[in-house]
Amino acid sequence: MHQITPEFKLIADWILPNTRVLDLGCGDGLLLEHLINTHDITAYGMEIDPQKNILAMQKGLNVIQSDLNSHDICDYFDDGSFDYVIMTQALQVVGRPDILLDDMLAVGKQIIITFPNFGYWKMRLQLLLRGKMPETDTLPYHWYDTPNIHLCTFNDFEALCEAKGIEVVERAVVNAQHKSSLGMRLMPNLLGEVALYKVQKKSL
Amino acid sequence: MKNSLGVITPQILAVTTPLTLASGAVLPRYDLIYETYGTLNAQGSNAILICHALSGDHHVAGMDADHKLGWWDDYIGPNKPIDTNQFFVVCSNNLGGCRGSTGPTSLNPATGKVYGPDFPIVTCRDWVNSQNQLREHLNIPHWVALVGGSMGGMQVLQWAIDYPDKVRHALVIAAAPKLSAQNIAFNEVARRAIMSDPDFHKGYFIEAGTTPKQGLALARMLGHLTYLSDDMMGSKFGRELREDKLQYSYDVEFQVESYLRYQGEKFATKQNFDANTYLLMTKALDYFDPAAEFDHNLSKALAAATAKFLVVSFTSDWRFAPPRSHEIVKALLDNNADVCYAEVESEHGHDAFLLPNAHYEGVFKAYMQRVLNDVSNSALPINTTTAG
């Protein structure tokens, strides 16, 4: 049994049992496998990487090879066909995160999303003091080879939600080791390294 | 050889139960030729049926009497993706074929003459019904998996729809839920090439003591062209000439012309494929459309299916391109079916499903492991005494 990260544990806490879950960029399917075992969910995963697809398939998961940038979620799934659409650590790598959010909100009643916080104090400090793009445990890339093309801060994400009429239902922050602290809860945008959000369309 | 099945001897099942075909015609009796590999377990729960494509046959793996390897030997055998140490694998030549199953080259019991063009047109559903006779004959309660590429994938879909309780896993590879107008158009040109050959004799060429080799070769050249990709032909042949300068003639000048002619001639002459079978198989392809009787709604057509699915497409396949597989996946998802989908990067066009490819093999192995896990789980709760 693989180690379930605190990030995944937090996500599992936000999920009701016996629900339908879609995991975008599901990787090797570790989260879905965990949710199936603990919450008895019906699960589908989508992932572009062939090797990760194979690993997910070996876990007995329903995994559909897909490029999130092709926005084919709505081609495959009808509106509202999932209770939850999850995307961990992938929002920042897609071409149009705003459109992907729309796709997710179309097929899922609630969406759970995690991403690295570019407003984390170490990021700010590296840029301020060194005048260079930050490199941290959470974002260990150079500016030129990073897959993270749309980095944002908590404030940026919440501003996008506000503009799109998206309601934040739950919010949590953790550090690179996926642990939480009082400071992170008090000043998430400064002290949180990884953001976890559960959001849904604002009811009219 | 460790990974070889050795020499395989085909068997023939003579079916005496009359088969009513989709066309309404009735075959009072027919033969199905088939090969098996591996061993059927006591519960009969480890059987896999392989369905062949247009020009395929029952010889899918191992060597035949002439030591020729089966058409999918890369994927079927000991320790191969479809592991014959674990599974009992069956492959039959389709009804209407020309390699041993009853077809246009067989004797018509009503006339004592070769059927030729009088052999009734068969459909995908007819094939499935005849294969089901083979299943019963072999005492196989259900197939733990059905596997097919291209036209074979269509048979797998038909099986999953028509015999849902007989199929645990359905592997649909490089297939489509129905042919497009372009696909049908290619088939029509191929058929016209055969039928306009002076040696065709309205299909009675066997009686006339001849074969429409030119037409058949042309049909195969056209077919072959649609199986390859532009990139693959470009990398293999480019604009390379056979001689070093242009001849300004209509002889074979470019290597790709030479290759296509060779493929066509090999098919018509060496492989001696029956022209009527070719016509019949392309017609069966054209007719395949399981959604037609469900308001042209594929989701409805697949609603009865209870199998778990693996759908695979290949990026450079333009005959049955990845979006055709997406249609199948979408219809399965509409039914909340268990489905995995892989889109394999390959430059080999439609033919990629027959060729070695690391990603494809990885997907296959991973999925077959799941099938294997189901072998014990899906054993029927009949009066079996378990040892130990």
Side-chain angles (χ1 to χ4, degrees):
Chain A
M1 189 71 192
H2 291 272
Q3 191 69 36
I4 297 298
T5 64
E7 181 186 347
F8 285 1
K9 279 197 180 127
L10 278 167
I11 292 171
D13 287 345
W14 288 350
I15 298 254
L16 288 172
N18 302 306
T19 48
R20 280 174 58 84
V21 178
L22 173 65
D23 188 0
L24 300 179
C26 66
D28 63 3
L30 193 58
L31 175 60
L32 284 183
E33 187 187 38
H34 175 66
L35 292 175
I36 288 170
N37 291 337
T38 59
H39 288 58
D40 207 17
I41 57 157
T42 305
Y44 290 95
M46 292 177 105
E47 169 62 49
I48 188 173
D49 185 297
Q51 288 315 312
K52 289 176 182 167
N53 265 324
I54 290 170
L55 292 171
M57 227 178 266
Q58 284 168 347
K59 293 186 171 78
L61 297 168
N62 291 315
V63 57
I64 293 155
Q65 194 180 344
S66 157
D67 177 1
L68 293 180
N69 286 320
S70 70
H71 299 285
D72 56 358
I73 308 163
C74 296
D75 297 337
Y76 281 125
F77 299 105
D78 294 335
D79 282 4
S81 49
F82 288 98
D83 297 296
Y84 308 99
V85 179
I86 302 176
M87 187 166 67
T88 56
Q89 305 279 342
L91 184 74
Q92 73 279 4
V93 303
V94 298
R96 286 296 299 270
D98 55 333
I99 297 175
L100 193 61
L101 274 177
D102 291 336
D103 295 344
M104 293 170 77
L105 281 164
V107 300
K109 294 173 189 122
Q110 290 193 319
I111 67 177
I112 294 170
I113 207 156
T114 76
F115 57 86
N117 174 30
F118 206 69
Y120 179 55
W121 67 272
K122 278 189 185 169
M123 306 274 184
R124 301 191 197 193
L125 210 58
Q126 283 192 39
L127 193 60
L128 182 72
L129 297 182
R130 297 166 64 202
K132 292 175 80 173
M133 284 299 280
E135 289 165 29
T136 64
D137 289 347
T138 321
L139 294 167
Y141 299 98
H142 308 105
W143 65 270
Y144 50 84
D145 63 5
T146 179
N148 303 309
I149 54 175
H150 280 125
L151 288 161
C152 67
T153 71
F154 292 4
N155 292 347
D156 289 328
F157 181 73
E158 290 190 15
L160 178 66
C161 288
E162 185 60 37
K164 282 182 160 298
I166 298 171
E167 177 190 352
V168 175
V169 182
E170 304 260 17
R171 186 178 71 177
V173 289
V174 291
N175 64 13
Q177 284 73 48
H178 303 283
K179 294 201 174 108
S180 194
S181 72
L182 179 65
M184 281 183 237
R185 286 194 285 278
L186 292 174
M187 286 184 287
N189 200 33
L190 185 65
L191 299 178
E193 271 192 273
V194 177
L196 293 90
Y197 279 93
K198 185 200 233 183
V199 303
Q200 64 190 23
K201 278 184 211 155
K202 268 187 190 146
S203 45
L204 298 172
Chain B
M1 275 190 295
K2 191 166 136 243
N3 292 329
S4 169
L5 286 157
V7 177
I8 307 290
T9 308
Q11 300 163 76
I12 291 175
L13 169 67
V15 183
T16 50
T17 314
L19 181 67
T20 304
L21 304 171
S23 65
V26 177
L27 277 181
R29 51 148 298 147
Y30 58 93
D31 290 347
L32 281 184
I33 191 167
Y34 64 97
E35 289 183 3
T36 70
Y37 322 89
T39 312
L40 186 65
N41 64 17
Q43 298 83 14
S45 64
N46 68 335
I48 293 178
L49 180 70
I50 311 288
C51 300
H52 72 70
L54 180 61
S55 61
D57 57 28
H58 53 286
H59 182 49
V60 63
M63 287 183 288
D64 65 9
D66 299 327
H67 285 213
K68 188 173 158 273
L69 284 175
W71 53 268
W72 218 12
D73 190 72
D74 283 330
Y75 283 87
I76 299 169
N79 304 313
K80 291 179 187 178
I82 297 176
D83 188 349
T84 49
N85 291 330
Q86 308 285 354
F87 297 109
F88 177 64
V89 180
V90 181
C91 184
S92 63
N93 183 212
N94 283 6
L95 195 58
C98 54
R99 304 275 170 77
S101 288
T102 299
T105 59
S106 311
L107 282 183
N108 180 348
T111 62
K113 290 182 186 171
V114 166
Y115 272 108
D118 298 329
F119 192 84
I121 286 184
V122 290
T123 65
C124 211
R125 173 165 279 162
D126 299 331
W127 287 331
V128 167
N129 287 335
S130 65
Q131 289 158 354
N132 192 45
Q133 292 287 323
L134 180 59
R135 180 190 65 76
E136 286 182 2
H137 167 73
L138 294 170
N139 285 321
I140 292 167
H142 58 261
W143 304 108
V144 73
L146 270 143
V147 187
S150 193
M151 191 179 90
M154 294 170 179
Q155 291 162 70
V156 174
L157 276 177
Q158 193 75 57
W159 259 102
I161 292 167
D162 288 353
Y163 294 94
D165 59 332
K166 304 290 182 238
V167 187
R168 291 286 192 271
H169 291 268
L171 284 75
V172 181
I173 301 159
K178 63 173 185 257
L179 262 56
S180 67
Q182 187 193 44
N183 295 147
I184 295 172
F186 278 122
N187 282 347
E188 176 57 9
V189 175
R191 284 191 293 265
R192 292 315 307 169
I194 290 169
M195 294 166 97
S196 56
D197 186 314
D199 285 336
F200 183 63
H201 297 286
K202 293 185 173 154
Y204 295 100
F205 48 86
I206 294 178
E207 282 174 57
T210 175
T211 47
K213 284 185 191 135
Q214 293 300 325
L216 196 55
L218 273 179
R220 184 60 177 171
M221 281 169 77
L222 179 74
H224 208 73
L225 205 54
T226 69
Y227 307 146
L228 307 178
S229 71
D230 194 20
D231 282 351
M232 181 262 157
M233 275 193 282
S235 62
K236 193 166 177 178
F237 307 106
R239 292 178 51 85
E240 198 183 323
L241 297 169
R242 291 182 82 195
E243 311 291 329
D244 40 7
K245 61 183 174 61
L246 295 176
Q247 304 297 315
Y248 298 99
S249 79
Y250 295 111
D251 291 339
V252 169
E253 290 195 70
F254 293 96
Q255 288 293 8
V256 67
E257 296 176 307
S258 163
Y259 171 78
L260 270 186
R261 285 199 195 189
Y262 168 76
Q263 290 293 342
E265 276 163 31
K266 185 175 82 171
F267 188 67
T269 311
K270 275 197 199 160
Q271 289 175 242
N272 199 23
F273 202 87
D274 179 66
N276 284 315
T277 287
Y278 204 88
L279 297 178
L280 189 146
M281 297 275 172
T282 56
K283 261 304 193 196
L285 273 170
D286 292 357
Y287 289 144
F288 178 72
D289 184 8
E293 60 191 282
F294 294 89
D295 304 327
H296 295 277
N297 181 326
L298 187 64
S299 306
K300 281 191 196 167
L302 283 163
T306 53
K308 297 175 184 198
F309 282 80
L310 171 66
V311 179
V312 181
S313 72
F314 298 88
T315 51
S316 56
D317 181 355
W318 58 275
R319 187 181 172 92
F320 297 143
R324 307 309 312 278
S325 287
H326 297 175
E327 292 173 42
I328 298 169
V329 173
K330 162 71 179 154
L332 291 167
L333 291 172
D334 285 343
N335 290 300
N336 300 326
D338 281 303
V339 52
C340 287
Y341 171 62
E343 198 161 303
V344 176
E345 184 84 30
S346 167
E347 63 153 8
H348 292 284
H350 187 60
D351 269 355
F353 85 90
L354 294 166
L355 301 170
N357 175 305
H359 178 200
Y360 184 31
E361 285 176 41
V363 166
F364 232 119
K365 282 195 166 154
Y367 198 87
M368 291 315 292
Q369 185 56 49
R370 292 170 68 161
V371 175
L372 192 60
N373 295 342
D374 273 6
V375 166
S376 38
N377 298 340
S378 67
L380 290 183
I382 45 175
N383 297 326
T384 51
T385 45
T386 45

